[in-house]
Amino acid sequence: AQKVTQAQTEISVVEKEDVTLDCVYETRDTTYYLFWYKQPPSGELVFLIRRNSFDEQNEISGRYSWNFQKSTSSFNFTITASQVVDSAVYFCALSEVEGGANNLFFGTGTRLTVIP
Amino acid sequence: DAGVIQSPRHEVTEMGQEVTLRCKPISGHNSLFWYRQTMMRGLELLIYFNNNVPIDDSGMPEDRFSAKMPNASFSTLKIQPSEPRDSAVYFCASGLGALYNEQFFGPGTRLTVL
């Protein structure tokens, strides 16, 4: 079973629209970390956010916001008023840390295209 | 400040040849990670080092793959012998401390094995 599921393979939106990228994860650990990374056309992944499993507060950073809900094992990412520069592949990831685990699982990514 | 540096950026080789990918982490970072990205398997963690010591290499696909970190500023990922299915983009990332901290990725090496 996939540890991290990003069901949306590709999304296209028109500039200035809001868009939400879904991420569902699976773990039995009570302590874990969730991440979002952006991979622009240039190729290198860029860190966006990390949340630990004990912090369910939503976070906002400019046009970006994240909704972490343990009840549904989801960590969704919303871009408000999308811009062409937001076009990229976005990866959600899970790190399990209990029992000495050194695991980091990435989802398959969601390719976002923002059309001008 | 320079980010993570990887070389070469592109490598084309023939099956059976040895391939060595290189990485220079960000100065001051004590963790280094090697990843492989393919269309079929997505992004996979191959191995990671902390303070130059390999912590977990369970992601290394086969004995043909090996990684070293002789000092804090240099790491290599070697494939010997290479096979066409090794074709992928290989990323190096560095960070501070554990696997679950923020990682800074290099631009990747696109490897093509003919």
Side-chain angles (χ1 to χ4, degrees), chain A residues 33 35 37 39 42-47 50 91 95-97 101-104 106-108, chain B residues 9 35 37 42-45 48 55-56 58 91 99-108:
Chain A
Y33 293 83
F35 304 80
Y37 280 86
Q39 186 175 34
S42 56
E44 70 270 29
L45 279 81
V46 177
F47 170 88
R50 182 188 80 164
F91 291 93
S95 180
E96 297 175 322
V97 301
N102 291 295
N103 297 322
L104 181 60
F106 281 82
T108 51
Chain B
R9 293 294 308 277
Y35 293 87
Q37 186 176 35
L43 196 60
E44 303 171 281
L45 176 63
Y48 94 92
I55 301 300
D56 190 338
S58 59
F91 288 100
L99 180 66
Y100 49 82
N101 290 333
E102 177 182 356
Q103 297 179 27
F104 296 78
F105 282 74

Side-chain angles (χ1 to χ4, degrees), chain A residues 42-111:
Chain A
S42 56
E44 70 270 29
L45 279 81
V46 177
F47 170 88
L48 296 179
I49 190 172
R50 182 188 80 164
R51 300 300 270 180
N52 73 57
S53 51
F54 299 106
D55 184 359
E56 282 194 79
Q57 276 193 333
N58 291 335
E59 179 147 345
I60 299 174
S61 177
R63 296 183 297 106
Y64 295 172
S65 62
W66 291 269
N67 184 337
F68 176 25
Q69 293 196 342
K70 290 177 74 171
S71 60
T72 55
S73 297
S74 65
F75 186 42
N76 296 338
F77 173 31
T78 297
I79 302 175
T80 303
S82 59
Q83 300 176 2
V84 173
V85 293
D86 296 327
S87 296
V89 181
Y90 290 87
F91 291 93
C92 180
L94 163 71
S95 180
E96 297 175 322
V97 301
E98 291 182 0
N102 291 295
N103 297 322
L104 181 60
F105 304 98
F106 281 82
T108 51
T110 297
R111 180 178 299 278

Side-chain angles (χ1 to χ4, degrees), chain B residues 8 10-21 64 78-88 90 109-114:
Chain B
H10 302 272
E11 176 81 25
V12 180
T13 190
E14 292 189 345
M15 182 173 64
Q17 296 297 307
E18 177 180 296
V19 175
T20 300
L21 310 181
R64 299 184 295 106
K78 186 176 293 186
I79 308 173
Q80 165 64 20
S82 58
E83 296 183 4
R85 59 193 169 119
D86 300 331
S87 297
Y90 290 82
T109 295
R110 182 173 295 278
L111 172 65
T112 302
V113 183
L114 303 174

Side-chain angles (χ1 to χ4, degrees), chain B residues 23-25 32 51-52 68-75:
Chain B
C23 175
K24 176 179 171 56
L32 184 138
N51 294 322
N52 311 339
K68 294 182 179 179
M69 192 164 185
N71 57 62
S73 59
F74 184 65
S75 177

